[in-house]
Amino acid sequence: GVRKIILSTNIAETSLTIDDVSYVIDSARKKEKGYDAANKMASLLPVWASRDSLQQRRGRAGRVARGVCFHLLTCEQETQLDQHDVPEILRTPLEELCLATIQLEMGRVKSVLARTPEPPERVAVTNAMDTLRRLGALRDGTEKLTPLGQHMCRLSVEPRHAKLLLLSAIMGCLDPMLTIVSCLANRDPFITVPQDKRREADVAKLRLVEQSDEAAVLGGSDHLLLLAASERYDTIARQRGERAAGDWCRDNFLSQSALQMARRLRHQFDDQLCDSGFGRARMMSSGEGTNSASRVAALCMVRSLIGVVLSPDIVWA
């Protein structure tokens, strides 16, 4: 006697099946990652789904009884849709793929990727190789890994973030960098809010910064904001439990599941660094007896490394 209404992203196409769904209302839209090789810009934009995706969504209804699907587009619009989704190799940066190809010694990178079913643009491959060289992962003029590149291959994160972790381990500021990279490697913990809530969400972000002494000293930064949010969440969860931490997340427009996933990624990256001989990070919090001066110095180093590594095209003096 209960009617269930399920709201889902396109994860329901293949990764989720609920047998007793009778009706599907399909927006025929999805958010998809894209990459402009000419401008070296990645994006996440709403686009029309493919006809194959519509077929998959239609199949969510009527698993155990007769079902009905409503697609929110006209028949004429449907005929203009692509038959298949754009392969991921054509809409993402290729640095991680190129690094793995070199590590496996499969041959010249451009030749290997040219033999894939949907080859990427040559300019995208060239940009990826240039970025790897600027990051110091490849020897100049060759496709040979440097010692830094070999260590980057051992971390399950994109090359820029891998270099951040490795350099921060060497420079003695691994603990805050682990937290920041774990948030960057995961989805944004700050949830998207409606227009009428944006002012309130901005105030919540400012409050997070003001409650962090180090952030106030060092100035505003999106990366330090991620650090402050993650550390504050962990402190509340440890002292008052996950339920109280969840209430705090709702009050500050944060996703508890994203912060929990970032915490798991942190431990994963920490284990990988330890296996590579870079030691284990010490969980550091400004409220647990940590020397404030040393912490501010560590965060200054973190800011410097982020600027240098995430912007390799800029010449830093």
Side-chain angles (χ1 to χ4, degrees):
V2 175
R3 173 171 293 172
K4 293 185 290 187
I5 300 175
I6 301 163
L7 303 179
S8 176
T9 64
N10 51 310
I11 192 175
E13 287 180 23
T14 55
S15 303
L16 180 68
T17 298
I18 301 174
D19 288 339
D20 58 349
V21 170
S22 300
Y23 297 91
V24 167
I25 301 176
D26 174 24
S27 67
R29 303 278 287 177
K30 64 178 180 179
K31 279 190 174 181
E32 184 176 81
K33 287 184 179 179
Y35 179 65
D36 184 345
N39 296 317
K40 304 179 185 179
M41 292 290 294
S43 60
L44 180 64
L45 299 172
V47 297
W48 289 105
S50 65
R51 290 201 292 274
D52 285 348
S53 293
L54 265 59
Q55 182 69 31
Q56 283 291 119
R57 298 176 183 193
R58 185 180 307 143
R60 300 302 94 192
R63 308 292 292 186
V64 296
R66 183 176 178 83
V68 179
C69 178
F70 300 93
H71 299 292
L72 302 185
L73 76 171
T74 65
C75 293
E76 182 180 355
Q77 286 175 316
E78 184 180 10
T79 61
Q80 298 173 2
L81 299 179
D82 294 332
Q83 181 64 44
H84 310 290
D85 291 333
V86 177
E88 189 171 359
I89 196 174
L90 301 181
R91 51 183 176 83
T92 56
L94 300 176
E95 288 87 353
E96 196 169 355
L97 177 59
C98 291
L99 198 62
T101 303
I102 295 169
Q103 180 192 22
L104 296 173
E105 299 180 352
M106 300 172 64
R108 302 288 293 181
V109 172
K110 288 185 178 180
S111 300
V112 172
L113 297 186
R115 297 197 299 269
T116 58
E118 297 283 349
E121 297 180 38
R122 292 183 66 86
V123 65
V125 181
T126 299
N127 289 342
M129 296 295 289
D130 289 344
T131 298
L132 290 175
R133 290 191 178 94
R134 283 194 293 272
L135 289 173
L138 302 180
R139 301 185 189 279
D140 290 341
T142 71
E143 293 190 2
K144 300 292 184 180
L145 292 174
T146 62
L148 175 62
Q150 293 171 1
H151 285 298
M152 289 165 66
C153 290
R154 299 189 181 103
L155 299 176
S156 57
V157 67
E158 69 154 290
R160 285 187 180 89
H161 296 162
K163 184 174 180 179
L164 281 176
L165 292 177
L166 293 167
L167 292 186
S168 63
I170 294 171
M171 303 302 293
C173 55
L174 176 58
D175 185 88
M177 188 68 82
L178 262 175
T179 301
I180 292 170
V181 169
S182 299
C183 291
L184 294 175
N186 189 31
R187 62 189 175 89
D188 189 353
F190 289 95
I191 61 177
T192 303
V193 297
Q195 184 71 35
D196 60 332
K197 290 284 187 178
R198 289 184 181 175
R199 174 62 180 170
E200 192 175 343
D202 290 340
V203 170
K205 289 182 179 180
L206 289 174
R207 187 167 58 244
L208 273 175
V209 173
E210 290 169 357
Q211 291 173 350
S212 170
D213 294 336
E214 296 83 4
V217 172
L218 296 172
S221 163
D222 288 345
H223 299 93
L224 291 181
L225 180 61
L226 291 174
L227 176 63
S230 183
E231 287 189 342
R232 181 63 179 158
Y233 170 80
D234 287 341
T235 299
I236 295 174
R238 184 170 57 253
Q239 294 177 352
R240 296 160 49 194
E242 292 290 343
R243 183 184 295 273
D247 294 338
W248 177 82
C249 286
R250 283 188 290 274
D251 292 340
N252 289 275
F253 303 94
L254 286 158
S255 167
Q256 184 177 16
S257 61
L259 290 171
Q260 290 173 335
M261 176 57 73
R263 183 197 295 165
R264 290 192 288 270
L265 287 174
R266 176 193 167 94
H267 290 297
Q268 176 184 322
F269 298 152
D270 198 9
D271 290 341
Q272 291 173 355
L273 286 166
C274 188
D275 292 341
S276 298
F278 283 88
R280 192 172 296 279
R282 176 173 59 86
M283 295 293 185
M284 184 172 66
S285 173
S286 59
E288 295 181 353
T290 307
N291 182 279
S292 179
S294 63
R295 179 173 171 82
V296 170
L299 292 179
C300 286
M301 184 62 67
V302 164
R303 289 209 335 171
S304 299
L305 291 176
I306 288 173
V308 171
V309 175
L310 296 189
S311 302
D313 296 327
I314 299 176
V315 177
W316 296 85

